[in-house]
Structures are given as C-alpha cells and as structure tokens.
Amino acid sequence: MSPTRTTTQPGTQVPAEAVAPLMRGIAVLRRLTDADGSLTLSDLERATGLARSTVDRVVLTLARTGYVRLDGRTVTLAPRLMELGNAYLSSIRIPGLLGDRVDALADELDESVSLAVPDGGDIRFVHQATRRRAMSLSFRIGDLLPAERTAPGALFATLWGPAQWQAWRERRVSDPEGAGFPSLPPRPGPADDLFEERVDAARADGWALDDQLIEPGLLALAVPVRDPAGGIACVLSVVSHTSRHSAQGLRAGLLPRLRDAAAAMESRLRDAPPGGSEPAPGRLASWTSASKQELGREFVESLARGLTVITAFGDTGAALTLSAVARATGLSRASARRALITLEHLGYVVADERDHRLTPRVLALGYPPLSRITLPRIAEPHLAALAGLIHESTSLAVLADDSVQYVARAATHRIMNVNITVGTRFPAYATSLGRVLLADLPAAGLGPLLDHAELRPLAPHTLTRRAELEAALERVRTEGYALVDEELEAGLRSIAVPVRDRSGTAVASINVAMHSSSRTIGECLEQVLPRLRLTADSIESELHTAARFTHVAVA
C-alpha cells in the first residue's frame, strides 16, 4: 500500500497540472467570504491581486453558476453557493445523523450547543443550535477558530503527532495576533501559553473547558464524540455566559448531561448504515459547455467545471475515486484529475491512495456568511427581478396568527402604486397572500383559526361568510394560486402563490398586487401567474439549498 498523501498547504509550489482559473475563482470566493459576503469589483481586484479583466470574467462565470449576484459594481454571495459546503457536510454525515440530538440537547439545557470538526490545527463548526437571546453566543457554521482558544481544539489536539504540534507552533509564531481568523474577536489579553497543559488535562479528563479564551464572559464545555473505530468523529460543546454560569458551575452542572448526549450520539454513529454508494452519472459538463458556447470567452469553463467537482461529493459517501468523480460530473478523467489536483493543492480535497475526500476547508467558500441568511434576503432579488419584468409591486409574506405580515417587498416607480411597507399586517382571509397560506394549513389548524376570525367586510367584494371562504380555500388548494379582487380594498387586485420549504410546507407566499385597471383577471392569469410561479420556484430552490443544514428564519 502506498502512503497517505497529505493535503498540500497553500503557498507551496503550484503543481504543473493545476487549473489556474479554478484557483483564481476560489480566491475570489474566499475574499468575498472574508468580507462577509459582499465587495465591489474594484475591492475584489485589490483583495485578490488579479487584473480587472480577470475579475470580471471570474465574476461573470460565478454569476452564471448562481454562486454570486452582480448588482451594478457590487458582487454578493448567493445562497446557491452553499451547495459546495452542503456537499462536504453531507459527505461526513455528522450533521444529518446527529443534528437532531444537538437540537434536543439545546432545548433541554436552554443553552447554545455545537458540533465541531478539526481542520488541520484549527476547528470549524458543522452544526449549531442557538438560543434566541439579546446576547447571542454562537459562531457561524464554517467559521474557522484556532485550537488554542477553544474547548474543542484542546480535545482534537490530544490526537496530534509531532508534525501537527510543529505546524501549530509555526502558525503561532507567524500569526501571533490571530489575523488569519477573521471571525474571531481580537485577543482579550496577552497570548495564552498554557495550551499544551490544557491538552494534557483534556487527555486525562476526557473533557475540555474554554474559560473566556475567545472573549471575556464566554464559556464553553466540550466532550468528544467518538467514531466506531475509537477516533474523535466530532466534538460536542455547550456555550454559555458568565452571567448564567461560572466555569466550575458549568462543568459541575452540565458535564454529566453532555456526556450522556455524546454517548447517545456514538451509539447512533455505530448503528448508522454504511454510505458509499456510487454517484449517479451527471451532466454538469454539458451545462458548462452550453454556457461557454453562449457566453464565449467571458465564461471561464475550467472554473465552472472545477467547482462542479466539489458538488460530486455528498450523499454517496465521504470518499470518491477519480473515475467516480468523472462519472458524477460528466467530465473527462483528465479534466476531473486536474481539478482534483488543484483542489488538493489548495486544501479542499485530501487523497488517500485512490480515494478523494473533501476537507472542512470547503466551508470557507461562502458558508459562514450565508449560514445566517433569512428567507426575506433570499427572496428580495427575485422579487425585484419580477417587479422589474412586469412593472408591478411584489411582496413576500408569512402567516402570523390570523394575519399576514409582509416581510419583503419590491415596489415599482409608478404614479399609481400599491403602497405597503415591510411589517404591515392584513387579515389573512381577505388577501391573496393569506389565502395561499390558509389553504395549506391542516384541518386541525385551519378550523380553530377560522372559528376565532372575524370576517368583516373590508371592501365591496370581501367574502364574509365562512362557507364561501372555505370554498375559496379549496379552489386555492386545487389550483395552486389565489386571486383576490377588491376584497381588501376597492380597486386592489392581487394574485399569490406559495413558497414551500424542503418538506413541502408553505412557509410563505409571494404575490403581485396592482390596481384593477392595470390588468384584467384573464391577463393576470395569462401574463403574471406563470412568471410568479417561476419566481417562487427560484426562491424555493435557494431556500432548499440554504436550509439543508442550517435554520433559515422566515421573517
């Protein structure tokens, strides 16, 4: 057997077969991530050191893949980029197998709870269950933190060999201020030189404590979750504040429950069926070829193809051979091989004999800033595009008791315009947005809501009889849309469709509202409804990507 090849660190000699455009594209994504998701084209040029023409071509290619949006001169990471990080999270299986246990523990303890994995000599979080408090105590999924300032880091370091300790010491010397960790607060005091002692204690105790190492007031207690072979699959940690616990109190009060939860997680890892099925043949290479044919030299096909290699990993298991990657992407073996060599050089892939695996560094490609995205933020650019296309106002709303609340809007500049602001509430029964959401409720939820609703006449045609409203809701269920004509206000006509989450539940709705003189009902159905449905599809696609391993707030 040949020895395992370790990941080459950035800054070393670039392999002759590396794909330069892929390296440039990843550099752009990293700079955008470090800037919390948005930079101007000029700022990207300065941050990457690339020529402006190169930046323009890279951004155009990334926009074509749906990974960024270009608004004038500003480039912003788009939710679809999370499919790269999702491929890594799916491949390691930990969030999918253990995430619900973490969520339940957070509810039980009423504290934020996390799962972390090692990334070289540092750590990254792969799952978060946070508490909604004025003082939030959580990092984002994918954030990189130094081992010496975290409780999980001390536990991972118990497994380090001499080479890893040497690399850690060199990193400490080269970056004493922690500039390489942009998500980390400034060091609260002098550098702590007791990390090796804490690692020895963690090895002896089987747990580790972060007593205000990240920042004053922050406490964290961590225990390992071991894989079936006895290694550390991940580290489970609970995070609190000195206003709620002392360091000693946190350990004494929560360590037994943390250990019980870790034991249950280890049992689940042991009982999980093995992964590793062969990925289905893909056609991503055909898509990149078509895009190249359409856009010409402005589309950097080798960049797009290189990124598709990352998406080949996922539900099929952690490891893929070169042949499997080629089949999953539709690339030639030569193209897939060059992409894998490039990704390995940059630290996003590690190779062991014939097998290739993604590393946690893939999460550095946009995941931290995007992991906190909300549904309104996802919807806003799509609503704006629709409003610009049909020249009517568009909105996103959610159900709030028996009302709908507007959470995103895109208004048009017209003399006669539908003037509604974000935060406005209207009775759900008299709006298209509300009827779409009411129609999706189960009978056990809809019945009591209608029992308490006061069906008042708000406009000339408001439905005020329950039987008529229930019949209207049944039509919405059958047809998949709601059209409300002068029921909320005289002269106001609107049409709405649902926005569904990954389970198929309508979590929000979008509509187009207009004066009744703008379009006839027939024109609404023929001209507006198809475009409205396409917009909902686009929002749902990004929502499903973003919500695969994170919680996406709907308001």
Side-chain angles (χ1 to χ4, degrees):
M1 293 178 63
S2 61
T4 298
R5 285 187 284 140
T6 57
T7 301
T8 305
Q9 294 300 315
T12 58
Q13 184 175 357
V14 178
E17 295 178 276
V19 183
L22 177 57
M23 297 177 67
R24 297 182 191 118
I26 286 177
V28 167
L29 291 175
R30 288 295 301 268
R31 298 292 83 75
L32 285 167
T33 302
D34 292 345
D36 212 29
S38 185
L39 284 173
T40 65
L41 289 167
S42 297
D43 287 338
L44 270 175
E45 181 184 357
R46 286 189 291 270
T48 60
L50 299 173
R52 177 57 181 269
S53 60
T54 300
V55 170
D56 290 344
R57 293 180 66 212
V58 166
V59 167
L60 178 63
T61 302
L62 294 173
R64 180 70 168 195
T65 64
Y67 290 163
V68 305
R69 291 196 179 96
L70 183 59
D71 183 10
R73 295 181 179 275
T74 301
V75 185
T76 303
L77 297 177
R80 188 181 172 188
L81 179 62
M82 294 177 75
E83 71 181 18
L84 302 182
N86 285 348
Y88 165 72
L89 294 173
S90 179
S91 73
I92 63 171
R93 306 177 71 200
I94 288 172
L97 288 172
L98 307 182
D100 62 332
R101 294 277 188 176
V102 175
D103 298 342
L105 183 63
D107 290 338
E108 175 191 340
L109 303 181
D110 193 28
E111 300 285 1
S112 295
V113 180
S114 307
L115 292 177
V117 297
D119 185 355
D122 308 310
I123 74 160
R124 291 189 194 270
F125 292 108
V126 296
H127 188 82
Q128 291 270 13
T130 61
R131 302 293 88 188
R132 285 185 172 270
R133 295 198 179 101
M135 186 177 296
S136 179
L137 300 174
S138 66
F139 287 95
R140 303 168 302 183
I141 293 177
D143 272 335
L144 182 69
L145 299 179
E148 69 272 11
R149 289 180 65 181
T150 68
L155 289 165
F156 289 126
T158 62
L159 303 180
W160 287 1
Q164 287 175 291
W165 277 110
Q166 181 61 27
W168 174 78
R169 294 186 184 99
E170 291 174 357
R171 189 261 292 165
R172 292 270 287 170
V173 170
S174 64
D175 185 18
E177 301 301 321
F181 303 92
S183 65
L184 195 67
R187 194 183 303 276
D192 176 21
D193 296 322
L194 302 178
F195 180 55
E196 294 180 55
E197 294 180 19
R198 290 201 305 275
V199 173
D200 290 338
R203 184 181 293 110
D205 298 334
W207 54 268
L209 182 69
D210 164 8
D211 186 359
Q212 306 182 74
L213 295 172
I214 291 291
E215 64 177 74
L218 185 67
L219 302 171
L221 178 67
V223 298
V225 178
R226 298 194 177 274
D227 60 32
I232 300 179
C234 60
V235 165
L236 172 68
S237 62
V238 59
V239 185
S240 191
H241 194 269
T242 51
S243 61
R244 294 175 58 82
H245 297 276
S246 65
Q248 177 65 21
L250 185 70
R251 183 193 65 79
L254 301 189
L255 182 58
R257 285 187 278 182
L258 208 58
R259 280 177 162 161
D260 288 344
M265 292 178 183
E266 290 169 353
S267 177
R268 182 170 288 187
L269 290 177
R270 286 193 302 270
D271 296 339
S277 60
E278 181 75 9
R283 299 180 178 177
L284 292 171
S286 300
W287 177 85
T288 62
S289 295
S291 297
K292 179 67 174 179
Q293 197 167 27
E294 179 182 344
L295 298 179
R297 67 177 302 275
E298 296 305 310
F299 183 78
V300 187
E301 188 174 12
S302 57
L303 165 57
R305 289 188 165 189
L307 294 175
T308 67
V309 166
I310 295 177
T311 66
F313 295 80
D315 295 330
T316 57
L320 290 179
T321 64
L322 169 60
S323 297
V325 170
R327 282 192 294 272
T329 58
L331 296 172
S332 67
R333 282 176 57 89
S335 294
R337 179 174 176 274
R338 291 189 65 205
L340 287 169
I341 288 172
T342 307
L343 293 170
E344 185 180 358
H345 168 70
L346 296 175
Y348 299 99
V349 166
V350 64
D352 182 0
E353 295 186 340
R354 297 175 62 247
D355 289 333
H356 299 79
R357 292 176 175 83
L358 296 181
T359 73
R361 188 170 293 175
V362 172
L363 295 174
L365 301 179
Y367 219 88
L370 291 170
S371 67
R372 297 289 179 83
I373 199 166
T374 63
L375 180 55
R377 277 188 57 200
I378 291 173
E380 282 165 358
H382 299 285
L383 296 178
L386 178 60
L389 186 65
I390 63 175
H391 307 293
E392 302 286 0
S393 297
T394 63
S395 303
L396 174 81
V398 297
L399 197 61
D401 298 322
D402 60 354
S403 301
V404 287
Q405 181 175 7
Y406 288 72
V407 294
R409 286 270 295 163
T412 55
H413 299 285
R414 300 178 61 164
I415 295 175
M416 186 167 59
N417 193 23
V418 177
N419 186 21
I420 299 170
T421 58
V422 170
T424 298
R425 292 193 181 200
F426 288 125
Y429 71 90
T431 65
S432 62
L433 290 164
R435 286 191 187 166
V436 163
L437 296 172
L438 292 175
D440 195 66
L441 291 176
L446 179 61
L449 190 150
L450 294 182
D451 289 340
H452 294 90
E454 182 183 357
L455 306 182
R456 296 180 292 111
L458 304 174
H461 303 300
T462 310
L463 297 183
T464 56
R465 295 175 56 189
R466 178 163 174 169
E468 293 177 331
L469 179 59
E470 289 177 335
L473 295 179
E474 184 59 38
R475 287 194 298 274
V476 173
R477 292 187 195 99
T478 301
E479 298 171 348
Y481 71 90
L483 191 147
V484 172
D485 190 26
E486 298 190 288
E487 294 191 47
L488 179 66
E489 183 177 317
L492 180 63
R493 179 176 294 151
S494 67
I495 186 168
V497 297
V499 173
R500 300 187 181 277
D501 64 13
R502 291 176 61 87
S503 71
T505 300
V507 294
S509 54
I510 59 171
N511 83 339
V512 173
M514 67 203 82
H515 192 271
S516 56
S517 62
S518 297
R519 285 181 172 87
T520 66
I521 290 177
E523 289 171 336
C524 286
L525 297 178
E526 293 173 8
Q527 301 171 7
V528 177
L529 181 58
R531 291 169 175 167
L532 190 62
R533 282 177 162 155
L534 288 174
T535 300
D537 290 344
S538 298
I539 294 171
E540 287 177 351
S541 177
E542 293 193 349
L543 171 62
H544 297 173
T545 298
R548 186 172 182 188
F549 293 109
T550 67
H551 171 71
V552 177
V554 299

